[in-house]
Amino acid sequence: MRSLAVLLLCCLPSAVFAATASLTDDTAELLLDGSLEYYEESGPALTLEQVRAAPIADEFKPVMQTIVNRGFDITSVWYRIALRNELPLERKVNNWILEFGYPLIDAIDLYWVRSNGAVETTHAGDRRELAPGQIDHRKMVLPLQLAPGESVQLFLRVQTESTHLLNLRVQPPSAFVVKTGFENLWFGIYFGLMLGLALYNFFILLSVRDAAYVYHVLYILSMAALQLDLHGFSRQYLWAGPDWPNVSMPGTVAGAILFSLLFTRSLLETRRHSLPLHRLLDVGLGLTAICFVLAFFAPYSVSMPFNTIVSALVVVMLLTAGVGMLRKGVRAARLYLVAWSVYLVGIILRALEGTGVIAPNLLSEYGTQFGSATVVTLLSLALADRINHEREQRASAQASTSAKSEFLAKMSHELRTPMNAIIGFTQLALRGDSDEAKRLTHLRYIQTASRSLLHLINDILDLSKIEAGKLTLESSRFEVATVLTKVSDLFSMQAATRELQLHVLPLAHGTPAVIGDALRLEQVLVNLVGNALKFTESGEVELRVEETAREHDRVSLQFSVRDTGIGLTPEQQGRLFLPFAQADSSTTRRYGGSGLGLAICRQLVEIMGGAIGVESSLGHGSRFYFTLTFSVAE
């Protein structure tokens, strides 16, 4: 008799249910994945009776994930769980909502086994029509009647070619309504932002006619379409039939990959800056072509995993291109890298939630939307910045061309003046009726005009060499004090003649012998002291050198030239060191000079590793200063 009883028990449906979830809160949702038990089908499809009876009923295993995520696994899997409403009877909470967080599951068979043995069956899935009683929602949402104190056994059979991800939740209708309202608001903001950015960039495209804007608009639209597919909006509002989801999703993924690659090549100008990186992106385009072919002609179980792998590879390619262009000094690469880094963080957070590593939270739930909205916004800014920078460069080039034309006009006058003097006084000196004294006077005028012409030509040649990158610096031992002495000797007579005081103040403890280009240092100091004397009517000019830092065999020296001359306005200071520009166009007529000296000084100082500056106020003199670092000579 005992053996017969055991045999009968084995043939009956399993009465023992290890996995149980209790409903104790009628204001919050309850995540069920971690409480589920599962069984994998290894042969023909099983019926509910078969999985409830031994031996299969005893082979269910506990799910070891916070959220069930089996990846691209086409195995049919049974899940079971017991739900019990633990709320007190007086609360009268009978209605609940069962929600699958991932909307792209192909087929779900649900069996509700009541305590009286009655079985209710529902067939849902994104490749099936809406089941009777199923709530019309972007996700798969089903009503559940469960009175206080009542229990129900839930069996699920899940079969899908898409990601096998459940994210199963039970919640009261009030909590479901609040959450749905928040989600609709968030997605409304998200899709509104994407559409607004697409229109914004489209209207800019109409004016600038730049291919990068075409690719960016198409990338924004493809990214928005991908989010429509991924979060079930396409299934709810757009899809034309049960087979369309398995074509749409791989297609939108391939579209997002394609336009991100084309946009990157255009924004960063990879063909011009780096052919190896350009060819790397070409490899990504080749893989994208395969993605499109598989999307339309291969089963979803083949096309979607392949597209997912390619999208991961393309993200690596895009980041590699961004880093490479940043190293080459491409301006747009900075925002570009920030944009894709933020997007990558969003994807990682979403993946960590899907694998159960982190608990669901606001950032992980909506990580892909945060990331994609950020990436298209920052890329729009990067593109606008590039266009503005190009406009500034064109305006600068036009201004430079205009300035050069004006400079040439001025130089023609400056060159003609000493040349006319040389020719005129040469003709006078060659006349036979001139006495020796007049001839010597004419020769002195010729000598002065020749030196002026030579100085002008040297300035033009120096500036041309600097702009062409052909100027080379010497590296030899010299005494800084010797350079200061030469400058002092050169201008002491001129200062005395004009009744100006010229002070040269070297270091109190003596300047060290250093390694560098003494000739170019002297050239800069001669220009600065010469200008100071030129624009000073009375008072003094001071040349000072100070040690600002010393470390091992390196010493930093600051050179400054101060005068009590006419001074400069802030506007004049802003354009003082620009090539082909002067503080005041009348200075050449009043004081002489080409206006090139300070531009040459700035570029010489920068070539020597320093920077030149000025402090001045109109009518109160000026102070020009620069700091250079030298190696101390043994």
Side-chain angles (χ1 to χ4, degrees):
M1 289 295 293
R2 180 174 295 180
S3 301
L4 181 60
V6 172
L7 181 61
L8 289 174
L9 286 173
C10 291
C11 296
L12 291 173
S14 176
V16 179
F17 223 83
T20 303
S22 299
L23 304 176
T24 58
D25 190 347
D26 62 350
T27 61
E29 64 182 14
L30 175 64
L31 184 62
L32 300 181
D33 288 35
S35 302
L36 294 171
E37 293 180 329
Y38 74 99
Y39 173 78
E40 299 177 1
E41 285 187 352
S42 57
L46 300 174
T47 64
L48 175 64
E49 290 73 18
Q50 289 174 317
V51 298
R52 292 183 65 197
I56 294 177
D58 300 324
E59 294 180 7
F60 274 77
K61 304 173 186 177
V63 169
M64 304 303 292
Q65 295 175 286
T66 305
I67 296 177
V68 173
N69 187 348
R70 300 172 63 93
F72 292 102
D73 185 357
I74 61 174
T75 304
S76 298
V77 181
W78 283 85
Y79 297 93
R80 71 180 183 186
I81 191 172
L83 298 176
R84 180 172 177 79
N85 188 346
E86 297 285 1
L87 292 171
L89 292 173
E90 59 269 17
R91 299 290 290 274
K92 297 181 180 180
V93 180
N94 301 323
N95 297 319
W96 300 86
I97 299 293
L98 183 70
E99 174 191 334
F100 291 84
Y102 186 64
L104 303 182
I105 302 175
D106 291 351
I108 307 173
D109 301 316
L110 299 95
Y111 303 94
W112 311 91
V113 182
R114 299 288 176 176
S115 55
N116 60 4
V119 178
E120 301 169 9
T121 304
T122 302
H123 302 288
D126 73 328
R127 301 191 69 180
R128 290 174 169 174
E129 298 295 335
L130 204 65
Q134 183 178 347
I135 298 173
D136 186 11
H137 193 268
R138 63 186 182 87
K139 302 177 185 177
M140 281 161 279
V141 178
L142 299 165
L144 169 62
Q145 294 290 325
L146 194 62
E150 184 183 358
S151 297
V152 65
Q153 296 179 358
L154 172 62
F155 286 85
L156 307 170
R157 183 181 182 272
V158 177
Q159 198 282 324
T160 183
E161 292 183 339
S162 66
T163 304
H164 191 123
L165 174 64
L166 293 187
N167 201 359
L168 186 62
R169 306 157 187 261
V170 173
Q171 56 204 304
S174 58
F176 175 74
V177 169
V178 171
K179 187 179 77 170
T180 300
F182 171 79
E183 289 177 345
N184 289 340
L185 175 62
W186 160 247
F187 279 108
I189 294 172
Y190 171 76
F191 288 115
L193 174 64
M194 298 293 276
L195 180 60
L197 286 171
L199 290 174
Y200 166 76
N201 286 280
F202 175 74
F203 287 125
I204 294 179
L205 166 66
L206 296 179
S207 62
V208 301
R209 307 288 181 175
D210 192 317
Y213 275 99
V214 176
Y215 300 138
H216 191 43
V217 170
L218 293 174
Y219 172 69
I220 294 172
L221 295 177
S222 62
M223 182 61 72
L226 174 59
Q227 295 298 322
L228 286 173
D229 283 351
L230 186 62
H231 294 280
F233 291 101
S234 297
R235 171 181 174 272
Q236 187 178 11
Y237 299 112
L238 302 177
W239 281 343
D243 292 328
W244 181 243
N246 287 3
V247 175
S248 175
M249 186 71 179
T252 53
V253 170
I257 296 171
L258 171 65
F259 296 120
S260 66
L261 287 167
L262 292 175
F263 173 74
T264 297
R265 297 199 319 168
S266 182
L267 174 69
L268 301 181
E269 298 178 291
T270 53
R271 183 187 294 275
R272 180 161 69 93
H273 294 294
S274 174
L275 278 178
L277 288 176
H278 188 77
R279 291 179 182 131
L280 177 65
L281 298 181
D282 284 343
V283 173
L285 290 175
L287 294 172
T288 306
I290 300 175
C291 290
F292 275 110
V293 172
L294 294 179
F296 290 97
F297 298 104
Y300 187 91
S301 58
V302 174
S303 62
M304 196 60 207
F306 182 82
N307 287 14
T308 303
I309 294 171
V310 170
S311 64
L313 291 174
V314 167
V315 169
V316 174
M317 293 178 185
L318 298 179
L319 290 173
T320 302
V323 171
M325 293 298 101
L326 183 64
R327 289 180 175 176
K328 290 185 175 295
V330 177
R331 181 187 178 101
R334 291 174 293 179
L335 269 178
Y336 179 87
L337 274 178
V338 173
W340 280 106
S341 298
V342 172
Y343 184 54
L344 191 60
V345 169
I347 293 176
I348 291 172
L349 288 174
R350 183 67 173 142
L352 291 176
E353 179 197 315
T355 55
V357 175
I358 62 174
N361 57 71
L362 189 66
L363 284 177
S364 62
E365 286 279 334
Y366 306 108
T368 55
Q369 294 85 58
F370 278 121
S372 58
T374 302
V375 75
V376 297
T377 302
L378 291 179
L379 290 180
S380 296
L381 293 176
L383 187 53
D385 180 68
R386 195 199 77 175
I387 296 298
N388 291 333
H389 183 60
E390 289 177 351
R391 286 176 176 172
E392 291 173 0
Q393 286 183 320
R394 285 195 294 269
S396 177
Q398 292 173 355
S400 178
T401 301
S402 176
K404 288 179 180 180
S405 299
E406 183 180 353
F407 166 77
L408 290 175
K410 291 179 179 179
M411 287 303 101
S412 65
H413 171 74
E414 295 297 327
L415 292 170
R416 191 181 299 115
T417 300
M419 282 298 297
N420 287 337
I422 293 170
I423 294 171
F425 284 112
T426 301
Q427 290 175 346
L428 290 174
L430 292 175
R431 285 183 180 178
D433 57 352
S434 298
D435 57 23
E436 190 65 26
K438 286 184 178 180
R439 187 176 293 106
L440 290 175
T441 301
H442 296 159
L443 290 175
R444 279 195 293 269
Y445 285 142
I446 293 171
Q447 184 183 45
T448 301
S450 299
R451 286 175 176 172
S452 175
L453 181 61
L454 179 62
H455 180 72
L456 197 59
I457 293 172
N458 284 337
D459 278 352
I460 295 173
L461 292 176
D462 280 345
L463 190 63
S464 299
K465 286 181 181 179
I466 292 171
E467 291 197 334
K470 298 298 180 67
L471 186 70
T472 58
L473 297 177
E474 297 291 333
S475 182
S476 59
R477 184 185 188 280
F478 69 94
E479 299 280 348
V480 176
T482 303
V483 175
L484 299 179
T485 302
K486 288 182 179 180
V487 176
S488 176
D489 292 343
L490 183 63
F491 291 105
S492 57
M493 182 62 69
Q494 178 182 342
T497 302
R498 298 182 56 196
E499 298 183 351
L500 299 174
Q501 296 182 13
L502 176 60
H503 303 293
V504 178
L505 305 177
L507 289 175
H509 53 79
T511 53
V514 296
I515 304 297
D517 193 328
L519 181 62
R520 294 302 177 184
L521 174 61
E522 181 182 340
Q523 183 179 353
V524 174
L525 294 176
V526 165
N527 265 297
L528 295 180
V529 174
N531 279 347
L533 290 170
K534 183 192 305 182
F535 298 111
T536 302
E537 300 290 344
S538 62
E540 63 180 10
V541 173
E542 178 187 275
L543 169 59
R544 179 188 295 268
V545 59
E546 298 174 293
E547 185 177 307
T548 58
R550 184 189 287 263
E551 183 177 349
H552 303 301
D553 61 343
R554 306 280 290 176
V555 61
S556 296
L557 301 177
Q558 184 181 80
F559 300 86
S560 61
V561 176
R562 182 183 59 82
D563 64 62
T564 56
I566 60 176
L568 298 162
T569 65
E571 293 76 16
Q572 290 172 337
Q573 295 175 44
R575 60 177 184 270
L576 193 62
F577 297 103
L578 297 178
F580 310 110
Q582 290 178 302
D584 184 353
S585 59
S586 65
T587 56
T588 298
R589 292 192 299 271
R590 181 177 176 185
Y591 294 101
S594 64
L596 293 178
L598 290 178
I600 294 172
C601 287
R602 177 182 68 83
Q603 298 196 53
L604 285 175
V605 169
E606 290 178 353
I607 292 172
M608 289 188 286
I612 193 169
V614 61
E615 298 170 352
S616 182
S617 60
L618 192 62
H620 295 87
S622 305
R623 176 178 175 267
F624 290 82
Y625 59 91
F626 61 94
T627 301
L628 297 176
T629 300
F630 299 97
S631 296
V632 178
E634 295 181 0

